[in-house]
Amino acid sequence: GLYGYFAHRAPPTPNLSKYAKVTPKITRVFAHDGTPLGEFGNEWREVIPYEKIPERMIHAFLAAEDHRFFSHGGIYVKGIARAAWKNVTAGDWVQGGSTITQQVAKQFMSSDKSLSRKVKEAMVARRLERSYSKEAILAVYLNHIFLGSGAYGVQAASKRYFSKSAWELDVGQIALIAGLARAPSRDSPLASKDRALLRRNAVLVRMAKHGFIDKATQEKWSASPLSLCSSVGARDFISN
């Protein structure tokens, strides 16, 4: 009866095939000779096919957010239990315990932090897993996740912070972008280079821990400096 109550009130399965292609409109300003002067809008986003997202970028996000993504069915019970315990002991909602699929499901739901919403989120996540491939779910996640400073998705973040496409980034740059998923506004390198470096290095450690890179690669990129190279359009972009 309890399951039926929440199942009846949970949103229907979202149409990911349509959502993955949707991008907000932005205004681009060019000089007389065609030189780009700026881009203006509420969101800066560029959707790219899943096949163009580098494998190392996928590995970095899996290490940072959900290393069991390809083996669970949309929810990770141990992670939820661990998060619930931390919330109870802290007396507040301090950890969500959401899988990547749940984070995708959350985009189609209200933003309130309640147990009811979390239950519905888990149900929608299970429906997504039954209806779509893991790659389709990851495509939506990697193209639409907020990554700080007005950038949504890995391609927009790559251009925002490094003036490169996602497939042109090195391991350190990829780890930095993946690290922004947890707290994009706080850890943005444009807000705090120190926090961005700490988070980047934490992701590199997790990539090594889960076998996505070796120890030598982790140490090499952990010791590398932070080198930002924002494009003109990205610098002038107006974010909320």
Side-chain angles (χ1 to χ4, degrees):
L2 187 62
Y3 179 87
Y5 173 84
F6 283 108
H8 180 70
R9 288 162 177 77
T13 305
N15 185 346
L16 296 191
S17 60
K18 179 179 180 180
Y19 184 76
K21 300 175 182 178
V22 174
T23 56
K25 301 302 181 183
I26 61 175
T27 300
R28 293 183 173 90
V29 180
F30 297 89
H32 179 71
D33 61 359
T35 302
L37 298 178
E39 296 181 343
F40 303 90
N42 291 324
E43 299 178 9
W44 196 43
R45 189 181 323 219
E46 184 177 342
V47 173
I48 57 176
Y50 179 80
E51 295 73 22
K52 296 195 72 172
I53 300 173
E55 185 178 49
R56 186 129 305 162
M57 178 75 78
I58 294 170
H59 289 167
F61 274 90
L62 294 182
E65 293 294 300
D66 185 3
H67 69 280
R68 296 179 182 270
F69 175 74
F70 280 101
S71 62
H72 63 60
I75 59 176
Y76 181 44
V77 177
K78 286 180 65 176
I80 293 174
R82 183 170 56 248
W85 174 251
K86 288 190 176 182
N87 292 334
V88 169
T89 55
D92 196 4
W93 199 281
V94 297
Q95 191 174 109
S98 296
T99 63
I100 282 177
T101 311
Q102 285 177 269
Q103 292 182 53
V104 171
K106 185 163 57 178
Q107 296 183 39
F108 302 93
M109 306 180 69
S110 64
S111 59
D112 66 296
K113 294 182 178 181
S114 66
L115 180 59
S116 173
R117 200 222 70 196
K118 291 296 292 184
V119 172
K120 294 174 186 176
E121 175 188 295
M123 288 182 169
V124 173
R126 291 287 294 150
R127 293 172 182 174
L128 286 172
E129 291 274 350
R130 289 195 296 266
S131 302
Y132 297 97
S133 67
K134 291 285 188 178
E135 290 76 13
I137 294 169
L138 262 181
V140 170
Y141 175 77
L142 294 173
N143 274 307
H144 292 276
I145 183 174
F146 178 52
L147 294 169
S149 303
Y152 288 75
V154 296
Q155 178 71 342
S158 300
K159 292 186 175 181
R160 178 71 172 100
Y161 300 118
F162 303 109
S163 294
K164 297 179 182 179
S165 288
W167 49 89
E168 298 175 311
L169 301 183
D170 59 42
V171 176
Q173 293 167 338
I174 284 173
L176 184 144
I177 288 176
L180 295 175
R182 185 183 65 174
S185 297
R186 185 192 68 190
D187 294 338
S188 167
L190 300 183
S192 172
K193 290 186 177 181
D194 291 339
R195 284 197 296 267
L197 280 173
L198 285 173
R199 183 62 183 149
R200 179 200 70 178
N201 292 349
V203 172
L204 289 168
V205 169
R206 291 185 63 84
M207 290 179 73
K209 175 183 177 181
H210 296 298
F212 295 126
I213 58 175
D214 56 34
K215 184 69 173 177
T217 301
Q218 177 229 312
E219 293 176 345
K220 170 187 174 182
W221 292 107
S222 292
S224 66
L226 177 63
S227 55
L228 299 178
C229 184
S230 295
S231 65
V232 172
R235 282 199 305 270
D236 293 347
F237 189 79
I238 299 176
S239 61
N240 289 332

